[in-house]
Structure formats: C-alpha cells, structure tokens
C-alpha cells in the first residue's frame, strides 16, 4: 500500500502528471489575467475559455522540426532541456502537499528540505546560462550573461526572505513550518515584508517583466532560447511553467500557511493559494516595463537586500520577545 | 572582449530591413555603422516617367504611416509650380487629414516605444485608441491607411455635417483617454527609469548633424516647419511648438505627447471653423519650366521635396528627402557609448520609417542573378574576420 | 528676418562670391555660386547668418553639366545654394568640414550621379546594393532601365 502511495506520489500528484496539467492551467490563468488587464481577451478559442491553449502550444512545439546549429556543443545542447525538466520536477516533489508524516522524516519531507528546494530552484538559472553558452550565437551568449548577472542580484534577498519565516517557526522543514503557521495564524503578519520581497525575487527568478531581460524579444531576438526549437523548446517552456508553480507553491507554503487537510482538502488549498500568488505575479507583470540588467542588480542590492535584512531583524526580535 | 553584433537586416526590433552593425564590448556599444539600401525602390527615377497626377499615387506609396505627408508635400509643391491656389475649404480638409495622421502616427509610436521598453500594457492601450483615429479617417476618406484624398488643386472628398460631428466626438474621447494614460503611463517609475538618460544627443551635436523633428525638438531646438514656413492653413491656426530639454529618449516621448495634445487642439479648430466653398480647382496638364522646394512637417520631422518642371506633363526631377534619412547621422552618434539593451529604444526614438528613407533601383540584383544567401554562421564568421583583419580601404574613419 | 533682410545681408557680406541671387516666391531664396566659392560661402552663412541646417542636397543632370543644389532651412524659410560642375570633370568639394550632417546626402549623390566629392569623410556607397556593377549611375538622364521579360515558371509567357 505504501509502495502504491509512493508511486502515486511520484507520478501523479504532485508528480509529473499533476505538474504538467496544473502548470498548463496556471499558464492559462496568467495569460488570461495579463490579457484582461490589457483590455484584450487572451486565449478564448481552444477548449472552454481557452483553457487548453497552453497544452495546444506544447503539442504544437513538440511536432515542429528540431534544428541544432552546426557549431553548437551537441551533447550539452540536447541534454539541457531534459535535465532542466528533471530538476524542476524533483523540486515539485518536496512541496508539503500530502503523504508526509510530521513526526518522522520521509523521502519527501525532512529537516533541511527548504534549503534543498531553494537549491533546486536556483539550478535552472545555471541551465539557462549553459543553454545560451552552448548555442554559440551572439544573442544567446548575451542572454546567458544577463541571466547570470541578474542571478547575483535577486538570489540573496530571496534566500533571506524565504528563510525568515523558517527562523520564526524554528524549523528547516517545510511541513513543520506550514504546521506552525496553521496553528498560530497571526504570526503570518510579521512576515508580510518578506512576502513582498519574495514575490519580487520570484518574479526575477522566473524571468518575467519587469525582469525579463534575458529573453527580451525586441533586443536580443530570443536571448538564451534563440537557437532552440521543436521538442527542446517545448521542454524549456514546460520547465518555466513548472518553475512558476513550484515557486508559488514554495511562497504559499512558507508565507501563507501551507496546505492543511490531507489529500483532497490539501489539493483545494494548494490550488487556491498558488492561484492567489500567481495572480499577484501577473499583476506585477502587467503593470511594469522592463528594466536594464544593471538597474536590476543595483535595485536588488540597494533596496531588496537591506529590506530582507530588516525582515530578519523583525523575526529575531519577535522570536526573542514572544516565543 | 569586443565583437560585432549585427542588428538587422532581419530582427524583431525592426519593422523594416536595415542593417546596423555594432561593435560591442560587454554591454557597451563602442561603434555603430548604418548600412542602407535594403528597401530602395527606384522612386525618383520612376517619377520622371509619370505625369503629375500619376505621381500623386506614387508619392503616396512611399510609406504607409506617413503616406499623406509625402503626397501633400508633393501636391503643395506642384501647385506652387503651376501657380494655382486650392480653395480654403480644400486646404482645411487637407490639413485636417494631416493632423489626424499626426495623431495616428504618434499614438502608434507611443505603443512601439512601450513595446520596445517591455511595457506591453501601454502598447495595448495606445493601439486600441489608434482604432478611433483610423475609424475617423475611414469615415472621411474611405481608407484606413493610404487616404488618397489629395489631388492637384485641392482634395477629392467633402465633409458633411454628420462627419464633422462624429469627428469632434472622436476627438473628445481621444483627448480624455490620452490625458488619463499619460498621467499614469509616463509617470510609471520603471518606464521612466528605462527611458531617462538613454540616447543622449546634445544640442550642439543635433545642430551639427542636422537632426529634424521630435529628435531635434527634444534637444531644445525649436525647429518646426509649420512655424518656420507657414503655408496654407498654418498662419491662421493657433498652435505652439513643443520642445523639451532633456535631450534623451524621455524628452522625445514628452515632445510627442505634447504634440499629440496640440494636434487635438488644431483638429478641433479646423473642424469648428471649416469654411464653405469648393474643394478643388482645376489644374493644368502641363507646367511651365519652374522649380520649387516644398517643405512639410511630417510626424517624424521635416519632409522635403524638390520639384523641377520643364514645360511638359512629366517632372524633370523629383527629389524626396524623408525625415528619417536626416536622423540617421544623429542615430549613429546616439548609439555610441550606449548599452545593447538600449539599441531598440534609441532606434525607435527617431521613429524610423525606413521605407520613406530609401528610394532607388534594387531590381538589377535579380537580373544579374548574383544573389548571395549568407548563413548566420557565415555572417558571424564575417563579423569576426572583419574585426580581426585590418580595415579594408573603403572604411574611412569618420572624424566625429 | 525676412527675405529682403537676408538677401541684403548676404549681398553685403559675400557679394563677390555670388553669381546670381533670386527670390521667386516668398520664403524661398536661390543663390548661384561658382564651385570654388562653395565651401567659403557655406562657412560664411553658418558663421554670420547662423544658417546651419542642410535639408538635403539634390543633383540635376543638365546634359553638359551637373547642377548641385544645397537646400538650407532656417527659421523664416529656406535658402538654396546652387553650383554647376562640368560633366567631363565632375568633382565638387565636400561641405562636411562645415556641416558634418551632410555626409549621407553627399554619399547618395556619389552613388546616383557618379560625381566625386573630394574630402568626403566616408566614401562608401550608401544606397546601392553591395554587388552593384560599377559605373552605373541611375539618376543620369542617359541611364535607362530595361525591364526583363517576365517569366512565369510553369506558365504561359
């Protein structure tokens, strides 16, 4: 029975099938919100309300011709999309949705798994850089260097912001953090500053406006993805979508009190909370314009990092005074 | 580490083919080189073989967005050459369409600037308003893009009461919406941060390099043909010349926004004070030997046509100089010492209408059969080699 | 300044260099000079009359000679300086030393008419394609374009 449950966990929910289905739904939601904010309709044609549009895009890309440039490093070029997809899929398994026992550590919930999930979510940046580098195209190289330059900006505030609720909850295990905030919901309020910082940094990690410099279409044609086409591009886009879901799941687990209630109620909680976070991210995307990469780094170090330190101070004070 | 990036001839940032070759060092541009000729169509030679009336259709098709400006500049010049004056009502209608075209072009440009800067929401909103202007133009002239409303001696279509009323309503809607967006859109901090300080062109450089239009006006040079050379309607219509003094892309946005507001006022005035009368006079078929330099303020700058006649029914020489060509020299200066990320913005800030700026024979390319298809790897190798080897004799160093 | 004032001032400052000056319509002045006086006159216009903006440079093929017109714009109209050079020896001095922005127009003149502009800063062809055969100058009156017969692949002629 445990084996069946584990298999279900790995493959169906929150395994690859659930991630695929839910991430395409989230991409639809994001596109619809973005379009309605811009006074347009967004996807309407495929499926009811256009829900199947991202799935249609995925299958269309899978059926297109796959072109590999002559001078590119072939093994790296071919391997990167699959490795990327594997990484974000694995990070999805660490979200505390079900099949974990608070009393003992399992394979999907153990002390320190918040660090593991943050580490797994920062690997895609390296994958994007390698994708740009191995394409040996000037535009991709510039895109790759921009990805790494932005990485130096947002990663530190993100870590500090996500770890402050963990410090308040006195645990490095996502399930325990979520349980702490479920028991004492008022402690969510001191972490509001961290929530805002984490949202901005997650937007930068996902390379969405105002931080979509690495694949800025009007400037460098396609950035890191210029030379990718066909199945590889389909996998990269799926990887970006799943990264969206996992990041918003992480933010919701840490800041909004996790997903209580076992299997079905937990699933409902998961959907509602991640959709709320994705709604905020789409709002941010529709309301701003792109900024330059040096402006990102200076903004991150001048404003985000000090605010994240402030958040840590608040958490430490509250922990000392009240707990 | 320096290498050369080719922007164009095909690039998502460019709506028309042009080749900019930038020598870059990290994210800084050290040198820029503009190569033209991809859109050259042989217009000036062709104009010498068509009659005066046929040339109206030819000049209108020089460009899509500024079609009325080329056609009006030409027709103005030929009317002066033939010494005929169109009636007042005809002039009012003609320049009403000009101002509507200016509104349309500026709204389009604001959307393009927003898109190049990554601010897609702004782009969607301004282009939706452009539909209102195009509907008014379609009501007046029957077409959304090439209005075909000019003829030698006046205009071809009249305006009746209902059209005037609908146009005035359209102007009201646009004015309210424009004020609303510009309060929000141009005050958006990320947008302003993106545009400020980009593409700096000092006042002295703008004077030396003969910049025109909003590019020059944003560097605090009040150069506007409607005021310098008031012909037809512009000595009766009250308007201000809009300048800004920040000399960068943000200044150009501000200048175009102010011009948009001025154009609404001018259209309002023209619509309310439309005189009664005919709309055209009959023009002769042949013109006496004469010459004339016709100047017109297109949305992008000054449009100059030099027309010479030799007594027959075809022009002896038609020289067209579109405003974008005058701004290329300034663009090269603006691109040096900028960031790569700013290339589309700087280039879009001069409002390039590349098809306006190029006119001559490209047909011979296909006839000799010498077509060279360059693969991207070859292009890259070409750029690398060109950088490594000594510069060939044709590349003289520009002393500026 | 009105037309009359500009004409008076130009005549008083550069009267010796000017061959002919006309004012055919309001706000349009045409000045004719000899080729060797061209650059000094333009430098003088820039320095004394503050006329710095060259709108365009047109070329005309008059058969035995080429005529080049330099159109300037100023705050109250426009002023055109024209000069004629013989067809057998089509050399003209570049004005880029006075007005750097004129280089694009002079390059176009070189491509289209086959004139040679001396001391131009950048002598590359501007508008013709890279594989354009040499000595083909489209805007000369004796250059005609023969349209090749249209061949529709697989269709009737």
């Amino acid at each position: 029975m445990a084996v069946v449950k584990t298999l279900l966990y790995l493959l169906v929910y929150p395994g690859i099938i659930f991630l695929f289905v839910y991430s395409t739904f989230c991409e639809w939601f994001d596109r619809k919100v973005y379009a309605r904010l811009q006074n347009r309709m967004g996807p309407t044609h495929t499926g009811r309300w256009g829900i199947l549009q991202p799935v249609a895009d995925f299958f269309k890309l899978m059926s297109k011709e796959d072109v590999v440039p002559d001078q590119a490093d072939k093994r790296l070029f071919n391997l990167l999309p699959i490795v990327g997809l594997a990484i974000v899929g694995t990070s999805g398994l660490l979200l505390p949705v079900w099949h974990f026992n608070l009393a003992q550590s399992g394979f999907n919930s153990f002390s320190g798994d918040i660090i593991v999930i943050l580490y797994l979510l920062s690997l895609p940046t390296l994958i994007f850089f390698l994708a740009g580098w191995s394409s040996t195209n000037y535009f991709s190289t510039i895109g790759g260097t921009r990805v790494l330059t932005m990485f130096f900006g947002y990663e530190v505030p993100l870590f500090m912001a996500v770890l402050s609720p963990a410090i308040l909850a006195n645990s490095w295990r996502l399930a325990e953090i979520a349980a702490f905030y479920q028991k004492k919901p008022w402690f969510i309020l001191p972490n509001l500053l961290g929530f805002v910082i984490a949202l901005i940094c997650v937007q930068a990690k996902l390379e969405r406006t105002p931080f979509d410099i690495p694949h800025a279409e009007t400037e460098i044609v396609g950035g890191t993805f210029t030379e990718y086409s066909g199945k590889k591009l389909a996998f990269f886009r799926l990887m970006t979508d799943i990264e969206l879901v996992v990041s918003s799941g992480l933010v919701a687990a840490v800041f909004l009190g996790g997903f209580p209630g076992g299997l079905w109620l937990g699933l409902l909680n998961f959907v509602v909370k991640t959709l709320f976070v994705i709604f905020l991210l789409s709002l941010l995307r529709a309301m701003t314009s792109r900024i330059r990469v040096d402006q990102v780094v200076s903004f991150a170090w001048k404003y985000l990092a000090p605010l994240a330190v402030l958040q840590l101070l608040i958490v430490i004070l509250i922990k000392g005074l009240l707990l | 580490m320096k290498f050369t990036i080719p922007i164009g001839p095909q690039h998502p940032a460019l709506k028309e083919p042009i080749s900019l070759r930038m020598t870059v060092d990290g994210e800084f541009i050290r040198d820029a080189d503009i190569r033209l000729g991809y859109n050259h169509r042989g217009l000036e030679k062709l104009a010498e073989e068509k009659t005066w009336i046929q040339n109206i259709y030819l000049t209108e098709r020089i460009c899509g967005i500024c079609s009325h400006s080329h056609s009006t500049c030409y027709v103005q010049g030929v009317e002066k050459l033939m010494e005929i004056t169109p009636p007042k009502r005809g002039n009012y209608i003609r320049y009403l369409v000009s101002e509507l075209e200016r509104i349309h072009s500026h709204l389009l440009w604001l959307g393009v600037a927003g898109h190049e800067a990554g601010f897609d929401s702004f782009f969607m909103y301004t282009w939706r308003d452009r539909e209102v202007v195009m509907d008014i133009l379609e009501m007046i002239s029957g077409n959304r893009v090439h209005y075909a409303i000019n003829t030698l001696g006046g205009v071809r279509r009249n305006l009746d009461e209902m059209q005037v009323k609908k146009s005035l309503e359209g102007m009201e809607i646009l004015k309210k919406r424009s004020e609303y967006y510009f309060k929000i859109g141009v005050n958006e901090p990320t947008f302003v941060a993106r545009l400020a300080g980009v593409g700096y062109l000092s006042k002295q450089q703008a004077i030396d390099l003969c910049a025109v239009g909003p590019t020059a006006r944003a560097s605090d040079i009040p150069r506007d043909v409607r005021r310098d050379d008031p012909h037809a309607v512009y000595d009766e219509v009250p308007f201000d010349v809009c300048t800004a003094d920040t000399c960068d892309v943000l200044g150009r946005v501000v200048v175009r926004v102010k011009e948009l507001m001025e154009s609404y006022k001018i259209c309002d005035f023209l619509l309310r004070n439309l005189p009664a009368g005919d709309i055209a006079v009959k023009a002769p078929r042949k013109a006496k030997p004469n010459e004339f330099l016709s100047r017109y303020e297109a949305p992008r700058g000054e449009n100059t046509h030099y027309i010479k006649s030799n007594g027959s029914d075809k022009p002896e020489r038609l020289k067209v100089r579109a405003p974008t060509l005058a701004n290329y020299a300034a663009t090269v200066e603006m691109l040096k010492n900028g960031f790569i990320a700013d290339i589309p913005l700087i280039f879009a800030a001069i409002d390039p209408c590349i098809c306006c700026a190029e006119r001559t024979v490209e047909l011979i390319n296909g006839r000799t059969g010498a077509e060279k298809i360059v693969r991207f790897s070859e292009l890259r190798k070409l750029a690398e080699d060109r950088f490594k080897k000594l510069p060939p004799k044709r590349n003289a160093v520009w002393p500026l | 300044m009105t037309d009359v004032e500009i004409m008076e001032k130009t005549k008083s400052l550069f009267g010796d260099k000017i061959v002919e000056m006309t004012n055919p319509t309001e706000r349009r002045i045409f000045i004719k000079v000899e080729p060797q006086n061209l650059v000094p006159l333009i430098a003088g216009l820039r320095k004394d009359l503050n006329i710095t903006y060259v709108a365009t440079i047109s070329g005309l093929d008059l058969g035995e000679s080429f005529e080049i017109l330099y159109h300037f714009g100023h705050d109250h109209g426009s002023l055109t300086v024209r000069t004629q050079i013989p067809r057998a020896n089509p050399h003209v001095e570049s004005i880029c030393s006075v007005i750097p922005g004129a280089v694009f127009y002079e390059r176009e003149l070189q491509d289209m008419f086959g004139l040679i502009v001396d001391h131009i800063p950048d002598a590359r062809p501007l508008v013709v394609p890279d594989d354009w055969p040499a000595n083909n100058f489209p805007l000369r009156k004796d250059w005609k374009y023969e349209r090749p017969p249209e061949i529709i692949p697989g269709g009737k002629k």
Side-chain angles (χ1 to χ4, degrees):
Chain A
M1 185 58 200
V3 174
V4 173
K5 257 182 122 178
T6 309
L7 269 175
L8 267 177
Y9 188 82
L10 284 177
L11 292 175
V12 179
Y13 171 60
I16 194 70
I17 296 183
F18 171 73
L19 279 178
F20 178 76
V21 170
Y22 189 55
S23 70
T24 46
F25 174 73
C26 285
E27 184 187 343
W28 170 83
F29 182 71
D30 167 51
R31 279 165 73 165
K32 201 72 175 170
V33 167
Y34 185 60
R36 289 310 291 158
L37 282 171
Q38 290 180 338
N39 208 351
R40 311 182 273 130
M41 290 310 292
T44 44
H45 190 65
T46 42
R48 183 92 165 108
W49 304 307
I51 266 191
L52 293 178
Q53 183 68 38
V55 180
D57 286 340
F58 179 74
F59 284 115
K60 176 205 80 167
L61 275 175
M62 293 284 276
S63 67
K64 295 269 183 188
E65 180 190 356
D66 215 334
V67 178
V68 178
D70 251 351
Q71 301 249 6
D73 187 347
K74 302 237 180 333
R75 237 180 303 168
L76 200 57
F77 194 83
N78 291 332
L79 211 51
L80 283 170
I82 308 176
V83 170
L85 204 55
I87 291 177
V88 287
T90 315
S91 64
L93 292 177
L94 289 171
L95 287 174
V97 277
W98 69 299
H99 194 45
F100 61 86
N101 193 344
L102 264 179
Q104 63 181 95
S105 307
F107 72 96
N108 60 338
S109 175
F110 46 89
S111 179
D113 66 359
I114 193 173
I115 307 289
V116 176
I117 202 175
L118 278 172
Y119 163 73
L120 283 177
L121 279 180
S122 60
L123 278 182
T125 317
L126 194 58
I127 302 243
F128 288 151
F129 168 68
L130 284 175
W133 188 256
S134 65
S135 304
T136 63
N137 176 345
Y138 282 146
F139 296 127
S140 323
T141 317
I142 295 183
T145 50
R146 282 180 181 182
V147 167
L148 279 188
T149 314
M150 267 204 338
F151 187 64
F152 286 127
Y154 66 77
E155 199 67 8
V156 171
L158 178 67
F159 269 61
M160 285 202 282
V162 170
L163 290 179
S164 345
I167 294 179
L168 191 58
N170 214 1
S171 155
W172 291 126
R173 191 175 157 189
L174 269 175
E176 278 178 19
I177 300 172
F180 177 82
Y181 285 106
Q182 284 155 26
K183 265 205 307 257
K184 308 182 185 187
W186 287 107
F187 279 109
I188 293 181
L189 290 176
N191 290 320
L192 223 46
L193 183 59
F195 182 55
V196 173
I197 298 175
L199 272 182
I200 300 178
C201 294
V202 161
Q203 184 87 330
K205 179 189 280 297
L206 296 168
E207 290 177 21
R208 290 151 56 101
T209 328
F211 306 109
D212 66 347
I213 306 138
H215 60 263
E217 174 210 310
T218 52
E219 299 166 12
I220 46 178
V221 187
T224 45
F225 300 140
T226 317
E227 296 287 344
Y228 280 91
S229 53
K231 296 190 184 50
K232 303 191 185 55
L233 188 62
F235 282 161
F236 266 130
R237 284 176 54 122
L238 188 61
M239 173 177 143
T240 325
D241 288 343
I242 298 182
E243 206 183 341
L244 172 68
V245 170
V246 174
S247 313
S248 46
L250 173 67
V251 169
V254 170
F255 288 101
L256 295 178
F259 320 112
L263 178 57
W264 297 109
L265 208 53
L267 173 62
L268 187 63
N269 260 311
F270 183 68
V271 169
V272 168
K273 288 187 180 165
T274 46
L275 279 185
F276 173 64
V277 174
I278 292 178
F279 177 71
L280 290 175
L281 291 176
S282 298
L283 220 67
L284 190 55
R285 183 179 172 210
M287 292 193 309
T288 53
S289 84
R290 192 184 304 140
I291 58 182
R292 273 203 315 262
V293 70
D294 61 315
Q295 288 170 335
V296 172
V297 174
S298 86
F299 171 70
W301 283 103
K302 278 195 218 163
Y303 297 99
L304 288 182
L307 285 175
V309 172
L310 186 64
Q311 166 72 57
L312 274 177
L313 276 175
I314 295 178
V315 159
I316 294 177
L317 277 174
I318 293 197
K319 191 169 170 189
L321 293 176
L322 297 176
L323 284 177
Chain B
M1 192 199 77
K2 284 195 210 195
F3 51 93
T4 315
I5 296 194
I7 306 277
Q10 309 294 339
H11 191 270
L14 307 170
K15 306 291 178 282
E16 288 141 322
I18 185 179
S19 177
L20 304 170
R21 303 226 146 201
M22 322 269 168
T23 311
V24 296
D25 186 4
E27 280 264 335
F28 282 105
I29 305 173
R30 292 290 171 221
D31 197 10
D33 179 26
I34 294 192
R35 298 175 53 206
L36 307 177
Y38 291 92
N39 220 347
H40 215 162
R41 289 157 291 166
L43 256 147
E44 294 179 8
K45 187 84 181 170
L46 198 53
E48 293 171 14
E49 294 163 24
K50 306 245 174 229
T51 63
W52 297 108
I53 294 265
Q54 284 176 324
N55 272 331
I56 303 180
Y57 300 115
L58 193 64
T59 47
E60 203 164 46
R61 274 145 187 80
I62 294 181
C63 174
I65 322 177
C66 16
S67 65
H68 185 81
S69 50
H70 282 287
S71 141
T72 306
C73 194
Y74 171 75
V75 163
Q76 241 172 235
V78 176
E79 283 171 358
K80 273 275 170 41
L81 216 62
M82 295 179 172
E83 286 157 18
I84 56 180
T85 341
K88 264 192 125 187
R89 190 180 172 94
N91 256 341
Y92 267 59
I93 298 179
R94 182 189 284 173
Y95 289 100
L96 172 70
V97 176
S98 295
E99 291 302 323
L100 281 172
E101 184 189 54
R102 192 185 312 273
I103 295 174
H104 160 237
S105 173
H106 282 327
L107 279 174
L108 187 146
W109 182 81
L110 282 164
V112 167
H115 180 61
E116 306 283 7
F119 198 7
D120 275 338
S121 308
F122 194 53
F123 167 56
M124 299 290 173
Y125 276 97
T126 42
W127 276 46
R128 193 195 56 168
D129 283 349
R130 211 178 127 236
E131 293 293 320
V132 176
V133 178
M134 288 176 108
D135 285 343
I136 296 180
L137 280 165
E138 189 184 11
M139 189 176 60
I140 296 180
S141 69
N143 284 327
R144 278 160 55 102
V145 183
H146 285 293
Y147 316 126
I149 203 166
N150 275 329
T151 182
L152 284 180
V155 294
R156 290 169 60 209
R157 290 182 199 275
N158 208 343
L159 282 181
D160 62 8
E161 279 304 312
M162 190 220 31
Q163 285 170 329
V164 172
K165 199 161 70 78
K166 277 223 160 97
S167 308
L168 281 170
E169 282 168 11
M171 290 289 116
E172 272 308 308
I173 298 175
L174 280 176
K175 219 190 294 199
K176 265 207 307 265
R177 279 195 201 154
S178 299
E179 279 168 1
Y180 175 64
Y181 311 145
F182 302 141
K183 223 170 14 152
I184 297 184
V186 183
N187 284 330
E188 161 71 28
T190 46
F191 194 44
V192 171
R194 190 75 179 79
L195 301 178
V198 167
Y200 184 74
L201 186 74
S202 70
K203 186 165 176 178
Q204 190 53 41
Q205 279 178 323
I207 294 180
D208 281 340
L209 299 169
C210 307
V212 290
T215 313
R217 290 200 277 277
S219 298
D220 206 13
I221 303 175
R223 186 180 283 161
D224 187 335
V225 178
R226 292 176 292 175
R227 194 210 48 183
D228 297 343
D229 196 18
H231 44 270
V233 164
Y234 289 113
D235 44 6
E236 298 170 356
V237 174
F239 73 101
D240 304 315
V241 175
C242 318
T243 56
D245 58 357
T246 50
C247 304
D248 57 7
V249 174
L250 187 62
R252 286 165 211 143
V253 173
V254 168
V255 164
R256 286 192 174 94
V257 167
K258 283 194 206 169
E259 274 184 13
L260 204 51
M261 298 309 195
E262 285 296 318
S263 286
Y264 292 144
K265 280 197 279 211
I266 297 178
C267 277
D268 216 57
F269 180 91
L270 288 172
L271 280 168
R272 285 188 206 279
N273 301 332
L274 204 57
D278 286 333
I279 51 174
V281 296
K282 190 137 172 56
R285 256 198 37 191
K286 301 194 181 168
K288 298 196 291 291
N290 205 347
E291 63 183 355
F292 189 70
L293 176 73
S294 171
R295 302 168 77 195
Y296 176 84
E297 180 77 13
R300 282 153 185 77
E302 175 188 326
N303 206 346
T304 310
H305 286 220
Y306 170 70
I307 313 170
K308 189 168 158 93
S309 61
N310 57 4
S312 70
D313 60 347
K314 298 189 170 57
E316 159 89 7
R317 174 89 168 99
L318 168 67
K319 163 107 176 102
V320 177
R321 195 279 277 148
T324 309
L325 184 60
N327 280 332
Y328 279 148
T331 313
V332 174
E333 263 318 295
M334 284 193 259
L335 282 170
K336 293 187 188 163
N337 288 323
F339 289 99
I340 294 183
D342 296 332
I343 294 175
L345 267 182
I346 297 176
F347 200 63
I350 63 170
D351 207 354
C353 186
I354 296 163
C355 46
C356 276
E358 317 213 13
R359 293 158 306 287
T360 272
V361 188
E362 209 195 339
L363 308 162
I364 217 164
N365 212 349
R367 189 160 71 129
T368 58
E371 285 205 300
K372 210 165 40 151
I373 303 173
V374 185
R375 285 191 307 174
F376 187 69
S377 49
E378 283 179 36
L379 252 179
R380 195 175 45 88
K381 194 164 166 331
L382 217 86
E384 274 176 23
D385 287 346
R386 183 178 154 196
F387 169 63
K388 281 190 214 143
K389 288 196 212 131
L390 293 166
K393 212 161 32 140
R394 294 203 310 179
N395 274 349
V397 172
W398 197 353
L400 262 197
Chain C
M1 298 201 296
T2 63
D3 291 345
V4 181
E5 287 172 17
I6 298 180
M7 286 173 52
E8 293 294 315
K9 196 160 175 196
T10 323
K11 206 189 281 258
S12 64
L13 286 170
F14 312 109
D16 52 335
K17 301 196 174 73
I18 299 176
V19 171
E20 183 194 352
M21 181 153 64
T22 57
N23 186 2
T25 37
E26 49 175 353
R27 297 184 297 268
R28 299 280 185 273
I29 302 177
F30 287 83
I31 301 180
K32 189 172 165 104
V33 295
E34 294 292 320
Q36 59 267 24
N37 285 331
L38 179 68
V39 180
L41 174 66
I42 293 183
L45 282 175
R46 180 182 179 141
K47 198 159 64 75
D48 298 316
L49 283 157
N50 206 19
I51 295 182
T52 64
Y53 163 59
V54 63
T56 188
I57 304 178
S58 319
L60 277 179
D61 183 356
L62 294 174
E64 280 304 312
S65 58
F66 289 121
E67 185 167 42
I68 314 177
L69 296 103
Y70 295 80
H71 303 281
F72 290 90
H74 55 90
D75 286 344
H76 301 273
S78 83
L79 183 123
T80 307
V81 176
R82 63 200 317 163
T83 173
Q84 279 196 347
I85 54 178
R87 197 185 185 100
N89 184 23
H91 282 256
V92 67
E93 185 74 24
S94 163
I95 66 169
C96 289
S97 45
V98 179
I99 300 178
V103 64
F104 274 93
Y105 309 124
E106 294 186 339
R107 280 167 72 184
E108 192 183 349
L109 264 185
Q110 281 190 285
D111 295 341
M112 292 285 119
F113 283 96
L115 314 173
I116 302 172
V117 180
D118 300 320
H119 306 126
I120 189 172
D122 188 357
R124 293 175 297 169
L126 184 71
V127 283
V128 291
D130 290 336
D131 45 2
W132 185 255
N135 287 331
N136 264 300
F137 303 118
L139 277 175
R140 292 195 181 183
K141 288 292 181 192
D142 52 357
W143 189 90
K144 291 264 179 279
Y145 177 62
E146 278 298 321
R147 202 176 165 154
E150 191 177 338
I151 305 175
I152 305 172
K156 56 181 182 147
K157 299 217 196 16

